[in-house]
Structures are given as structure tokens and as C-alpha cells.
């Protein structure tokens, strides 16, 4: 590991207990910064309500840390939107945000559009499929941003069990993202959960970043933030254990391909073969091929969007 990364691990890796809630609240009051929490959601009716309710109770009703909770529904066909609203979130529908641009499927698309329907100086993203959720996830990633003006982006780190097996979750991280980062961006090798969906950043950074529309958004954001603000502006906080729904092997394959493509685009723009991934499923006549495009469309920095610029002026 690079000496720079070893120093970063000592200086920019914390535990949620390092910043007590009263300290974070005092910093928020002193600086006047506002905090938005965004949950991107697609068919998460079983879990989204509990997450919203916990954040609202602990960090809005009990203490005034979070200023708004927004669930951005990515075309759910279940009761996700209804459950989220009942729990106290404001629900925004992906297709109704920036309607002049036809939406494309993908988590990154939803995160990008969320900047248009939130107002916080700090934006915290939390996946909507977490189980046994603790509001420490939010205080952990928001705390450094409120208390340290030199920090611009904070990732949560945690244990990820796979069923009863401790530490065996995060398979795409270990098989794809971590090798890519270590080989091509070794300054980012200290991140424990580079693909984790729980992170917070200053709006002033997020609005300058391009957003890969799909699964590559977390890796792309880390790499681009490194180049924009430098390693010392990035940090991570240990928030304990993350439990969530796990995807099957083929879905993980598609995720890995999209992440590789995101990395590839950052290593060498242009002159690339349009990528695809062929997987196999057993059918009546044996194994049948299924081919998926893994081209990684990206949305431009939000500052380049006219509607966003007009909103900032207003």
C-alpha cells in the first residue's frame, strides 16, 4: 500500500462514535448547513418505510439534523411510493424530474436527478433495501462534512454478511472493484466499501461530477472526486454492519461488467468497442445465450443543466 494511503487511513478513517451527535448538531447550528437524505428506490416496499421512519424519528423529530428526506422512485410497480410517503418522506418520481430528458434505467440516473429535487448543502445517499437499519448510517457519513470543511465526500464502511457468513458480502467489490482500484487508482485502495450505497457529499462537489447512469456510479464518483478535490478531501466512517438483499450471480455479472466499463472509460476515452455481456441460462433445449448491453451512459455535471442553473439563481 502507498505511504500516502497509509497516512490517509490514519487521518481520514473514523468510527461513527468519534463524532457524538451533540457535536454534529453544534457544528450544523454554527455553520448553518442543511442536510438532505436521498433514498433511490425500485420496488422496495418491504424496507423503505422502516428506513424513512427511523431517519425521521431519530434525526428530524428527536433532533434537527436532517432537513429533508426524499425518496426518488425509479419506476416501482409495488407500493414503494405509498409506503415511503406514509413513513414521512417526500416522494419524487424519476420520470417527472427534468421531463425534457427521457430517463434511462439505472441507479446513477436516479441519484443524478435527485440533485434537482433536493436543497441541502450536504446530500446523503442511502440505499432503500437495508434491513435492521440504524440512523448511525446517516450521522456517520454526515458528521465529518459538518465538522470539517476540508472533507467533501464521505463513504460508509461496514461488515457485509452473506446470510450467516460474516464478511462474505460485497462480492463485486472484492472480485472487480477492489482489483481495479488497486491497479489503476492505488490512491483509492484504502476504501473499505468503494461500491457501498451509503455516502454523503457536499452539493458543491456533486454538481460538478458526471454521473454514470447505472451500477458504475459509485466507482465513477470516487475516481472523479479524487481528481477534482484530492484524496485528503475524501473520508470513510465505520458504521457497523450492513444487511440487505443480495442479488444472484448473473445480476452480479452484469453489475461487474458495468463497473469495468465505467473504469475503462476513465482510463481511455474513445476508440472503444461497444461492449456487451453474454450470459447463459438453461432452457428446454440446453443452455441459451442472453446478451446485455453494458455501455455506460453518463449524465453531465448538473451545473451544465439549464434548469439546475436557473434554480440556483432563483
Amino acid at each position: 500500500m502507498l505511504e500516502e494511503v497509509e497516512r490517509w487511513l490514519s487521518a481520514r478513517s473514523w468510527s461513527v462514535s468519534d463524532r457524538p451527535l451533540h457535536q454534529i448538531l453544534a457544528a450544523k447550528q454554527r455553520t448553518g448547513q442543511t442536510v438532505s437524505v436521498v433514498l433511490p428506490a425500485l420496488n422496495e416496499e418491504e424496507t423503505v418505510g422502516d428506513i424513512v421512519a427511523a431517519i425521521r424519528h431519530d434525526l428530524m423529530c428527536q433532533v434537527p439534523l436532517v432537513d429533508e428526506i426524499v425518496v426518488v422512485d425509479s419506476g416501482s410497480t409495488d407500493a414503494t411510493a405509498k409506503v415511503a410517503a406514509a413513513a414521512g418522506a417526500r416522494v419524487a418520481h424519476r420520470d417527472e424530474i427534468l421531463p425534457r430528458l427521457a430517463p434511462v434505467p439505472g441507479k446513477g440516473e436516479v441519484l443524478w436527478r435527485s440533485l434537482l429535487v433536493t436543497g441541502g448543502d450536504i446530500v446523503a445517499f442511502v440505499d432503500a433495501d437495508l434491513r435492521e437499519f440504524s440512523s448511525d448510517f446517516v450521522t456517520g457519513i454526515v458528521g465529518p462534512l459538518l465538522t470539517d470543511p476540508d472533507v467533501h465526500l464521505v463513504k460508509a464502511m461496514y461488515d457485509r454478511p452473506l446470510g450467516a457468513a460474516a464478511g462474505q458480502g460485497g462480492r463485486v467489490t472484492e472480485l472487480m472493484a477492489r482489483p481495479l482500484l488497486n491497479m489503476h487508482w492505488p490512491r483509492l485502495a484504502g476504501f473499505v466499501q468503494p461500491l457501498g450505497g451509503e455516502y454523503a457529499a457536499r452539493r458543491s462537489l456533486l454538481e460538478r461530477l458526471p454521473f454514470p447512469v447505472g451500477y458504475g456510479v459509485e466507482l465513477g464518483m470516487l475516481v472523479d472526486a479524487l481528481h477534482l478535490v484530492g484524496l485528503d478531501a475524501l473520508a470513510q466512517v465505520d458504521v457497523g454492519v450492513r444487511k440487505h438483499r443480495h442479488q444472484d450471480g448473473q445480476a452480479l455479472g452484469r453489475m461487474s461488467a458495468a463497473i469495468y466499463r465505467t473504469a475503462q472509460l476513465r482510463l481511455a476515452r474513445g476508440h472503444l468497442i461497444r461492449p456487451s455481456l453474454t450470459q447463459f441460462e438453461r432452457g428446454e433445449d440446453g443452455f441459451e445465450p442472453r446478451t446485455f448491453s453494458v455501455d455506460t451512459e453518463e449524465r453531465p455535471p448538473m451545473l451544465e443543466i439549464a434548469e439546475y442553473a436557473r434554480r440556483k439563481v432563483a
Side-chain angles (χ1 to χ4, degrees):
M1 183 177 290
L2 298 176
E3 279 189 28
E4 181 184 9
V5 176
E6 292 181 349
R7 289 194 299 271
W8 178 84
L9 280 168
S10 297
R12 286 289 188 257
S13 293
W14 298 296
S15 167
V16 66
S17 61
D18 289 336
R19 288 176 176 79
L21 186 55
H22 68 83
Q23 180 183 345
I24 299 173
L25 288 168
K28 184 180 193 298
Q29 185 175 20
R30 183 176 65 252
T31 61
Q33 296 176 93
T34 53
V35 176
S36 300
V37 176
V38 171
L39 280 74
L42 176 62
N43 295 329
E44 303 293 358
E45 64 179 5
E46 293 184 6
T47 50
V48 67
D50 290 342
I51 299 171
V52 169
I55 297 171
R56 183 171 180 80
H57 175 269
D58 295 349
L59 304 179
M60 295 182 81
C61 298
Q62 295 285 89
V63 298
L65 180 65
V66 171
D67 296 280
E68 63 177 348
I69 307 172
V70 180
V71 170
V72 183
D73 185 17
S74 186
S76 297
T77 56
D78 66 1
T80 290
K82 181 178 179 180
V83 170
R90 175 162 57 89
V91 177
H93 295 277
R94 177 200 62 193
D95 297 6
E96 297 172 3
I97 304 170
L98 200 62
R100 72 174 175 85
L101 286 182
V104 295
K107 179 183 179 183
E109 176 84 350
V110 174
L111 299 183
W112 182 73
R113 289 177 186 255
S114 76
L115 297 180
L116 274 162
V117 291
T118 55
D121 302 305
I122 294 168
V123 182
F125 299 117
V126 176
D127 281 351
D129 65 343
L130 302 188
R131 302 180 185 278
E132 301 178 28
F133 176 79
S134 166
S135 58
D136 283 351
F137 274 70
V138 176
T139 57
I141 58 179
V142 166
L145 294 163
L146 288 170
T147 59
D148 189 337
D150 293 329
V151 175
H152 289 254
L153 184 149
V154 181
K155 297 279 294 188
M157 56 177 168
Y158 31 65
D159 295 315
R160 295 184 68 179
L162 180 61
Q168 296 302 306
R171 291 162 288 173
V172 175
T173 293
E174 300 303 329
L175 296 174
M176 176 58 70
R178 200 177 308 286
L180 281 173
L181 292 175
N182 275 263
M183 288 186 289
H184 299 296
W185 297 280
R187 296 171 70 202
L188 295 174
F191 277 95
V192 175
Q193 296 293 351
L195 300 185
E198 289 67 50
Y199 49 98
R202 300 190 188 282
R203 178 176 293 270
S204 57
L205 171 61
L206 293 172
E207 66 188 10
R208 290 186 290 156
L209 294 174
F211 276 62
V213 300
Y215 287 126
V217 63
E218 276 85 21
L219 183 135
M221 191 177 293
L222 264 187
V223 171
D224 294 339
L226 174 68
H227 291 299
L228 265 179
V229 296
L231 182 61
D232 284 342
L234 313 180
Q236 60 185 350
V237 174
D238 188 348
V239 296
V241 179
R242 183 187 197 267
K243 296 182 179 179
H244 65 111
R245 183 186 68 249
H246 292 282
Q247 301 196 56
D248 63 33
Q250 290 207 332
L252 296 179
R254 296 190 291 274
M255 185 184 302
S256 297
I259 290 165
Y260 179 76
R261 174 62 168 170
T262 299
Q264 184 186 47
L265 287 171
R266 278 154 178 77
L267 289 168
R269 296 279 179 172
H271 307 294
L272 299 175
I273 298 171
R274 184 176 178 88
S276 61
L277 173 72
T278 299
Q279 297 176 316
F280 294 87
E281 296 179 4
R282 185 181 289 279
E284 293 182 1
D285 299 320
F287 286 104
E288 300 173 356
R290 301 284 188 271
T291 299
F292 302 87
S293 170
V294 293
D295 203 17
T296 308
E297 184 174 348
E298 298 195 5
R299 294 302 191 184
M302 189 56 78
L303 280 176
E304 298 178 11
I305 300 300
E307 290 88 340
Y308 187 79
R310 287 197 295 270
R311 195 189 74 159
K312 289 197 72 173
V313 171

